[in-house]
Amino acid sequence: KNEVEQSPQNLTAQEGEFITINCSYSVGISALHWLQQHPGGGIVSLFMLSSGKKKHGRLIATINIQEKHSSLHITASHPRDSAVYICAYVKNNDMRFGAGTRLTVKP
Amino acid sequence: DGGITQSPKYLFRKEGQNVTLSCEQNLNHDAMYWYRQDPGQGLRLIYYSQIVNDFQKGDIAEGYSVSREKKESFPLTVTSAQKNPTAFYLCASNMDRVGNTIYFGEGSWLTVV
């Protein structure tokens, strides 16, 4: 069993829809990252969370440390948001990655 | 601009050959990492280095080797001992191992022919 579980694995949405991607993990952590991987393979870091909520443009990330759960929300989704979204947790000197959620936003 | 540069982007290797993937960063980061990504799976750690001249094995180090002679550089050699080397390889770095934003290179696609 993966130590980081993401859902859904695949998500297709219409432009303008509100998107939610979920991430659950099984251990106490120092921080959680949300990453975006583009079709060419390059990865960028979207958020790093230790608690609460962060917002950047149309992206919002929340984390509940007690429940070991984080969500990534995209408001007013756009085709350029199409990518694989990966959550990863940091614990001590280790980082573990989820398998990713492939998001496709159709115009 | 600061960042991580990986090369080559695409590489083809014959069975039995060693190949080396380059990773260079100008972010002055102490920690550097190599990950492997297979279709439908999460990133898996091959090796990491927290300081020059020191590196540690990750989860799937067998068949790989690294060096860290300079802070900026962390090359990965995929040896002939790696039985299934066809994959996407990502290099990453951050200031230290915990609690800092991590930066990724663009990745290298390795195919064994």
Side-chain angles (χ1 to χ4, degrees), chain A residues 94-97, chain B residues 33-39 41-48 56-66 76-79 81-90 97:
Chain A
D94 201 8
M95 180 178 278
R96 297 288 173 176
F97 295 82
Chain B
Y33 318 85
W34 274 106
Y35 294 97
R36 170 180 170 141
Q37 188 178 38
D38 293 283
Q41 296 191 32
L43 296 167
R44 292 183 291 168
L45 182 64
I46 305 172
Y47 269 98
Y48 69 94
Q56 304 296 328
K57 291 183 179 180
D59 299 321
I60 54 167
E62 185 176 351
Y64 299 97
S65 65
V66 293
L76 173 74
T77 297
V78 184
T79 75
Q82 169 51 237
K83 298 305 179 189
N84 186 22
T86 296
F88 183 62
Y89 293 87
L90 276 161
R97 194 100 206 266

Side-chain angles (χ1 to χ4, degrees), chain B residues 62-106:
Chain B
E62 185 176 351
Y64 299 97
S65 65
V66 293
S67 63
R68 188 86 187 274
E69 297 176 2
K70 299 185 299 181
K71 188 175 186 178
E72 304 79 26
S73 180
F74 191 41
L76 173 74
T77 297
V78 184
T79 75
S80 56
Q82 169 51 237
K83 298 305 179 189
N84 186 22
T86 296
F88 183 62
Y89 293 87
L90 276 161
C91 178
S93 73
N94 64 0
M95 284 301 294
D96 55 53
R97 194 100 206 266
V98 179
N100 287 285
T101 299
I102 188 165
Y103 295 81
F104 288 86
E106 288 295 307

Side-chain angles (χ1 to χ4, degrees), chain A residues 13-58:
Chain A
Q14 288 298 129
E15 184 174 357
E17 286 185 1
F18 181 81
I19 304 293
T20 296
I21 299 171
N22 295 301
C23 175
S24 297
Y25 49 91
S26 55
V27 299
I29 65 172
S30 307
L32 185 127
H33 295 257
W34 280 102
L35 311 170
Q36 181 190 52
Q37 185 171 28
H38 293 283
I43 293 180
V44 296
S45 177
L46 299 174
F47 296 102
M48 186 184 66
L49 292 164
S50 297
S51 63
K53 176 180 174 179
K54 286 190 176 181
K55 184 176 188 294
H56 180 70
R58 295 180 295 105

Side-chain angles (χ1 to χ4, degrees), chain A:
Chain A
K1 185 177 186 298
N2 199 345
E3 293 165 317
V4 185
E5 294 285 344
Q6 286 187 235
S7 63
Q9 286 186 319
N10 295 284
L11 180 58
T12 300
Q14 288 298 129
E15 184 174 357
E17 286 185 1
F18 181 81
I19 304 293
T20 296
I21 299 171
N22 295 301
C23 175
S24 297
Y25 49 91
S26 55
V27 299
I29 65 172
S30 307
L32 185 127
H33 295 257
W34 280 102
L35 311 170
Q36 181 190 52
Q37 185 171 28
H38 293 283
I43 293 180
V44 296
S45 177
L46 299 174
F47 296 102
M48 186 184 66
L49 292 164
S50 297
S51 63
K53 176 180 174 179
K54 286 190 176 181
K55 184 176 188 294
H56 180 70
R58 295 180 295 105
L59 301 178
I60 303 167
T62 63
I63 189 167
N64 185 318
I65 293 290
Q66 289 73 29
E67 294 186 3
K68 297 184 174 61
H69 181 269
S70 177
S71 294
L72 176 69
H73 305 284
I74 305 175
T75 62
S77 59
H78 189 276
R80 63 175 175 266
D81 296 326
S82 298
V84 175
Y85 293 85
I86 301 169
C87 72
Y89 74 68
V90 179
K91 178 179 171 66
N92 299 327
N93 289 325
D94 201 8
M95 180 178 278
R96 297 288 173 176
F97 295 82
T101 295
R102 183 174 299 278
L103 171 65
T104 303
V105 181
K106 295 184 175 180

